Amino acid sequence: MPDTPTPSAPDTAAPASPRPAAPPAHQAADSRERAGGFYCLAEQPWIPAHAQGALTGYGLRGLLLDAHRIDRLALPVPPAESALLRLLAAVTARISGLDDPDMPADQWHDTRRRLLARGRFDEPAVNSYLDKWTWELFHPTRPFLQDPALARQCTKTSGVNKLVFGRPAGNNLAWLSAHADTRPQPVPAAQAAWHLLLWHYYGPSGTCSSRTVGATTAGQLRAGPLRAALSFHPQGRTLFETLLLSQTPYRGLGQSEEDLCPWEEPGPPDPLRPPAEITWPGRLLTARSRHALLLVADADYRHAVDAYVTWATLERPLPATDPFVITLTDPTKEADRRDTVRRADRHRGAWRDLDGLLLAGDETTGVRRPEVFTDLNEWPPDLTAHVTVTVHGFDQDSKTRDHLWYSGHTPAIWTWAQEHNPDLALRISECRQAAEVLGAHLIRAANRAWRESTRPSPADGARPGEDGGRPPSAWARESTARYWPRAESLFWDLVRHRTQEAAFPAFAAEAARCLRATLTPLLHHYRGAGPALARAVRALHTAGAAPAPPVAPQEPQ
């Protein structure tokens, strides 16, 4: 399951729960009549998708009406696809009636099974919902997911390069890009929509264009709700199945506020008011942004030529659990800091999170699978055998630096889950843990061998001590670069074929082979490298013979 780098039966659906009153007439006019105007996202083909062997562009309406014929989305920007899947999940909840918090759990699951058996979305429900709201990207008074007040509240624009992730903006140097703020290139509207989603979900913290609201002037951002997070999405045989499997039943204790998505609100939120309650499913999936944006269009509304990017709120974010992330719990920390999410890491293969998906998890494991996968027993059996997982990651630091976005795809893994095959799920967990533990010991052993080979021995003859907190040595980086691809192959071999073999000794032997391959060409260049290598190999085999708690590896620099 390697990561794949990306450049990129009733006859009717359940009735929808009551929705807010429609907006003013100039906003609620039939969107089909406005498709050629301000770039209507319900009609314009801004969403690429694979359908029956061809890559086709869709608007929201066509995407939902043809969801049963579409295999999967194909956005070339994985985190934008992850954000779009959340938006589509919220829309699906609306048009399917699965957004009713008063519906008992058994009835909710029965309703979803009936919808899956029906095989497609109800066309009147799709049209009724989409026609109720404004979806224009460049609408003069209600642009989609934007705040038109920024044009008067900000003293200047941020520039179109600021909008597009990957383009250098401001004083940043353009080492590997043809873009510069002195020659800004327009962004096609479809791509502008992708990056608009990126900002709302994965946007950075730090400085931004100054915004004045009343007597408050500020120019600081908080990071987006999914910044640096790794997302796991169910992938059905069709997009229709994917969107229904992306639903979760309501498990709260009651909602004191009406659940609204941003486009269902009467207007953009007041940036000085405390944030609204995180209600299910609309606000949870679509309304946790901490950024405010406004795109500036060209004359024909087909490109963004400038943008305002600034803060949407100065308040601390309210706690919320996204249903598509793995949650890690550290019981030693304070309650409000105990839970974190699995971070995206370009050096970490998706197979290393398999047991986090397959094991049900409890308070003792410290790992909880994404909530979207907690009701596996309620899935139709014929569907369980075909559902895969799409993994979308955006390797970022917690503030401003973006490293790499990527995606990965698992095989159909859910027949291996603890609910269906507990022995196999535990074997997968054992092998993954062995790989992690020996990978950490490999870094430690390679670092120690490097120190022993490159530093003068102390006067008392003792070997050099540990270098706490320092980054891995060149030997450790090269050894782990060899180890992890081989560890993945060994993992699948132990899970599928060598099922009775002890996992820890097998990974210890692999780690030792990788260390030897790294150090053998260097033995004649460093005095003491031979004995240091022998001691390191012995330490790895000892670690494999008697499994120890994992040693936290240091991330390569």
Side-chain angles (χ1 to χ4, degrees):
M1 185 183 58
D3 282 347
T4 304
T6 306
S8 55
D11 293 331
T12 59
S17 57
R19 299 270 31 96
H26 72 277
Q27 297 180 22
D30 190 340
S31 58
R32 297 187 200 114
E33 296 176 4
R34 302 174 304 186
F38 304 117
Y39 201 86
C40 181
L41 298 177
E43 314 300 338
Q44 295 291 339
W46 66 285
I47 306 174
H50 289 290
Q52 300 176 340
L55 185 63
T56 307
Y58 291 91
L60 289 171
R61 190 187 307 275
L63 190 80
L64 293 169
L65 294 179
D66 283 354
H68 57 291
R69 289 191 284 261
I70 296 173
D71 301 322
R72 58 184 176 85
L73 301 181
L75 271 69
V77 182
E81 181 172 313
S82 181
L84 179 59
L85 283 168
R86 288 170 167 85
L87 186 151
L88 291 172
V91 173
T92 298
R94 297 289 194 244
I95 63 178
S96 64
L98 293 173
D99 62 340
D100 183 358
D102 297 323
M103 187 184 298
D106 289 347
Q107 182 182 348
W108 190 95
H109 288 295
D110 287 343
T111 300
R112 184 170 68 170
R113 280 192 290 268
R114 290 197 300 268
L115 290 166
L116 285 165
R118 187 173 186 267
R120 61 183 299 167
F121 288 122
D122 180 66
E123 183 172 352
V126 170
N127 289 330
S128 175
Y129 182 78
L130 293 180
D131 291 345
K132 188 180 295 185
W133 311 110
T134 302
W135 304 95
E136 277 77 13
L137 188 65
F138 301 119
H139 196 280
T141 61
R142 193 67 194 275
F144 185 69
L145 296 184
Q146 300 162 70
D147 190 343
L150 299 188
R152 65 176 185 274
Q153 293 174 347
C154 296
T155 56
K156 61 180 181 179
T157 63
S158 305
V160 71
N161 288 350
K162 183 74 171 180
L163 170 70
V164 180
F165 281 69
R167 285 190 183 184
N171 294 324
N172 294 324
L173 296 177
W175 293 110
L176 300 173
S177 174
H179 297 281
D181 275 354
T182 56
R183 299 184 307 276
Q185 299 298 310
V187 183
Q191 296 180 26
W194 305 343
H195 289 275
L196 177 66
L197 292 175
L198 275 175
W199 271 97
H200 283 306
Y201 287 87
Y202 295 89
S205 61
T207 59
C208 62
S209 295
S210 178
R211 179 184 189 183
T212 299
V213 183
T216 300
T217 299
Q220 290 290 321
L221 291 167
R222 291 185 179 274
L226 294 183
R227 185 161 183 86
L230 189 61
S231 292
F232 301 83
H233 299 270
Q235 182 72 55
R237 293 165 293 189
T238 65
L239 180 62
F240 173 77
E241 291 181 349
T242 295
L243 295 180
L244 284 177
L245 291 176
S246 298
Q247 304 300 307
T248 56
Y250 181 62
R251 293 186 173 91
L253 299 176
Q255 298 184 158
S256 59
E257 296 185 15
E258 186 176 18
D259 178 58
L260 298 175
C261 297
W263 55 89
E264 298 169 342
E265 296 275 6
D270 183 345
L272 299 183
R273 292 187 61 185
E277 175 187 349
I278 304 298
T279 52
W280 167 94
R283 287 200 178 110
L284 175 63
L285 293 172
T286 67
R288 295 169 56 207
S289 176
R290 295 150 203 174
H291 298 74
L293 294 96
L294 177 63
L295 308 185
V296 179
D298 60 4
D300 61 0
Y301 300 100
R302 288 300 176 267
H303 296 81
V305 296
D306 208 340
Y308 297 85
V309 180
T310 188
W311 55 274
T313 178
L314 300 177
E315 302 283 342
R316 293 181 62 86
L318 298 176
T321 301
D322 186 276
F324 300 100
V325 300
I326 288 178
T327 303
L328 309 177
T329 301
D330 185 348
T332 64
K333 293 184 177 180
E334 298 177 1
D336 59 344
R337 302 179 60 188
R338 190 168 296 167
D339 288 348
T340 58
V341 304
R342 175 72 76 195
R343 293 174 63 91
D345 183 346
R346 62 193 184 278
H347 303 295
R348 180 184 176 90
W351 63 274
R352 295 166 67 181
D353 288 312
L354 259 184
D355 57 341
L357 299 175
L358 298 178
L359 296 180
D362 54 38
E363 295 180 357
T364 63
T365 63
V367 180
R368 296 201 309 272
R369 66 163 58 133
E371 187 177 354
V372 73
F373 299 120
T374 58
D375 295 307
L376 296 179
N377 289 331
E378 303 294 339
W379 291 7
D382 64 315
L383 191 55
T384 302
H386 294 92
V387 176
T388 63
V389 179
T390 298
V391 185
H392 289 314
F394 196 173
D395 190 339
Q396 306 169 290
D397 70 8
S398 59
K399 295 183 179 180
T400 61
R401 296 181 62 186
D402 301 326
H403 300 297
L404 182 75
W405 55 53
Y406 61 92
S407 65
H409 304 276
T410 75
I413 62 173
W414 296 111
T415 56
W416 310 344
Q418 187 173 2
E419 292 89 335
H420 302 298
N421 194 334
D423 292 339
L424 180 56
L426 291 175
R427 174 64 173 175
I428 288 172
S429 179
E430 176 197 12
C431 292
R432 198 276 308 168
Q433 291 180 37
E436 298 281 0
V437 168
L438 269 302
H441 277 289
L442 175 59
I443 293 177
R444 192 177 188 183
N447 280 343
R448 189 172 186 87
W450 179 82
R451 290 192 301 270
E452 293 174 354
S453 303
T454 59
R455 294 183 183 180
S457 298
D460 60 2
R463 292 193 296 273
E466 298 289 343
D467 285 342
R470 296 191 180 182
S473 64
W475 291 3
R477 293 195 298 270
E478 184 175 347
S479 297
T480 53
R482 295 175 186 270
Y483 172 77
W484 282 113
R486 297 170 66 112
E488 180 175 3
S489 298
L490 176 59
F491 170 85
W492 290 112
D493 197 24
L494 291 170
V495 167
R496 290 171 171 164
H497 306 296
R498 298 152 58 182
T499 56
Q500 301 304 313
E501 184 175 340
F504 277 82
F507 282 102
E510 195 63 70
R513 279 192 287 270
C514 293
L515 186 59
R516 286 196 190 97
T518 298
L519 268 61
T520 297
L522 305 174
L523 294 181
H524 297 294
H525 299 278
Y526 295 90
R527 178 180 296 180
L533 173 59
R535 287 189 291 268
V537 168
R538 186 164 58 249
L540 287 171
H541 284 295
T542 300
V551 178
Q554 295 169 319
E555 186 173 323
Q557 299 296 310

